[in-house]
Amino acid sequence: MSSDCLGGVEARYCEAGADGSVTCTLCPHRCRLTEGRRGLCRSREVRDGRLVSLAYGRVCALHVDPVEKKPLLHFHPGEMCLSLAAAGCNLSCRNCQNWSISQVRPEEVESSFIVPGMLPELARRTSCRIVAYTYTEPLTWMEYTVDCARTCREAGLLNILVSAGYVNEGPLDDLLPYLDAANIDLKSFSEDIYRKVSRASLAPVLRTLEKMRDAGVWLEITNLLIPGINDEPGMLREMCRWLVDNGFAGAPLHFSRFFPQYRMREVPPTPIGTLRMAEEIARECGIRYVHLGNV
Ligand code: SF4
């Protein structure tokens, strides 16, 4: 690792253009950046012709949480996780819960520099056997996530990812060998809703789920139900059928209750009846474990 880590480390996922630009190949946005410009995730910038990950090691949130809070209800219940985040997210969800650390630049939030090699000792001191990459979007600080997960695996710890799963295949392949479990936020089953609410798309998220399934990562899936946005019964049925047809019937599905926040303050909280309706649809489709969250 560079001694200049606070100024960022060179990104691993990029392509140089003939015109002097650099394209970030980490996520499907594929931001094409000229000198001094930053990607949509606010944490990757071109400096001196090189793409730099500015979030590497700049930990802006560090807590000890129960594994159930991720939420993962079927993976080492009762264990505590050393949970960490750096700033940045490649989605722009209007309902973001953690916007104060995810929708900002790394230098705009207070952070401590933590090299990957420090994590096993931190985990030991806090009696955690699990390390969770969470709160923001760990896939936007992929270089750090991969280095931490490798170091923690070598130290005998377990790694959990909490993510929206919006990433390209190559970078994901670098992380999968070190991942033990993940909770992936499946925001809807509509390209249109993904685009309008999160400035992202559905297909790459489904591919991430399939790759995690194939890699043997323990998967739980969260679907936040937003009234009038993604709670249409036909779409929920389509989503559940896709999950069952593609080998996810045994992956616990968490329907989570929405509360007004960030840029979606005009939308009311999810009625409990909507959550019950979604639960019923999921069970009818053959999802074996259905949980309701935020209730
Ligand atoms: S990770 Fe960031 S910089 Fe890279 S393509 Fe995605 S949004 Fe753009």
Side-chain angles (χ1 to χ4, degrees):
M1 191 184 342
S2 152
S3 59
D4 176 33
C5 288
L6 279 173
V9 299
E10 192 159 353
R12 289 173 205 156
Y13 311 104
C14 54
E15 286 166 3
D19 58 356
S21 68
V22 180
T23 297
C24 176
T25 56
L26 176 52
C27 93
H29 287 306
R30 290 185 63 88
C31 299
R32 186 177 150 272
L33 304 168
T34 49
E35 185 65 30
R37 299 305 296 262
R38 224 174 259 206
L40 285 171
C41 58
R42 301 178 176 88
S43 68
R44 300 167 80 79
E45 179 178 300
V46 176
R47 289 188 173 174
D48 301 323
R50 301 175 314 147
L51 185 68
V52 170
S53 168
L54 297 167
Y56 192 105
R58 293 171 77 139
V59 174
C60 64
L62 184 68
H63 303 285
V64 174
D65 292 329
V67 66
E68 289 83 358
K69 200 178 161 190
K70 297 301 116 192
L72 284 173
L73 295 186
H74 299 241
F75 183 79
H76 295 269
E79 289 278 348
M80 301 300 279
C81 312
L82 182 65
S83 305
L84 60 100
C89 182
N90 54 345
L91 276 70
S92 312
C93 301
R94 291 174 49 221
N95 57 302
C96 184
Q97 288 180 33
N98 286 337
W99 58 271
S100 62
I101 52 173
S102 69
Q103 305 295 317
V104 294
R105 296 178 161 216
E107 67 272 27
E108 290 172 340
V109 283
E110 231 176 89
S111 57
S112 305
F113 190 69
I114 297 178
V115 295
M118 292 163 71
L119 286 177
E121 174 59 15
L122 280 172
R124 193 191 62 76
R125 274 199 253 151
T126 50
S127 305
C128 294
R129 287 200 308 130
I130 304 175
V131 177
Y133 311 92
T134 178
Y135 305 132
T136 58
E137 178 46 77
L139 298 177
T140 60
W141 23 283
M142 181 65 108
E143 290 84 357
Y144 185 57
T145 305
V146 169
D147 290 355
C148 290
R150 185 193 303 116
T151 303
C152 289
R153 167 65 64 83
E154 285 166 3
L157 298 164
L158 299 168
N159 290 303
I160 288 177
L161 179 79
V162 182
S163 166
Y166 195 61
V167 68
N168 285 333
E169 287 190 66
L172 181 59
D173 285 338
D174 286 353
L175 180 61
L176 287 176
Y178 309 113
L179 218 51
D180 297 287
N183 186 303
I184 299 295
D185 194 3
L186 181 55
K187 291 174 184 289
S188 75
F189 207 66
S190 152
E191 289 289 357
D192 194 42
I193 297 172
Y194 256 92
R195 187 168 41 79
K196 285 186 183 149
V197 176
S198 308
R199 264 173 95 184
S201 55
L202 168 65
V205 181
L206 299 183
R207 188 185 59 211
T208 293
L209 288 173
E210 290 169 334
K211 285 185 73 76
M212 288 188 170
R213 173 201 63 199
D214 295 347
V217 174
W218 175 256
L219 261 177
E220 302 196 19
I221 297 165
T222 293
N223 180 229
L224 177 79
L225 287 168
I226 310 174
I229 305 282
N230 66 348
D231 58 349
E232 201 272 309
M235 188 182 67
L236 291 173
R237 194 172 295 280
E238 201 189 337
M239 178 181 81
C240 293
R241 283 203 181 120
W242 184 89
L243 289 170
V244 170
D245 291 348
N246 288 278
F248 298 101
L253 179 57
H254 302 253
F255 287 114
S256 190
R257 190 177 189 208
F258 164 87
F259 287 96
Q261 54 205 332
Y262 193 44
R263 294 184 175 149
M264 225 182 243
R265 291 183 187 276
E266 73 290 0
V267 180
T270 319
I272 301 297
T274 303
L275 294 154
R276 294 270 178 235
M277 175 268 295
E279 180 183 23
E280 202 177 312
I281 289 173
R283 291 197 194 283
E284 278 168 15
C285 289
I287 304 276
R288 285 205 284 281
Y289 311 106
V290 187
H291 301 285
L292 303 187
N294 280 351
V295 286

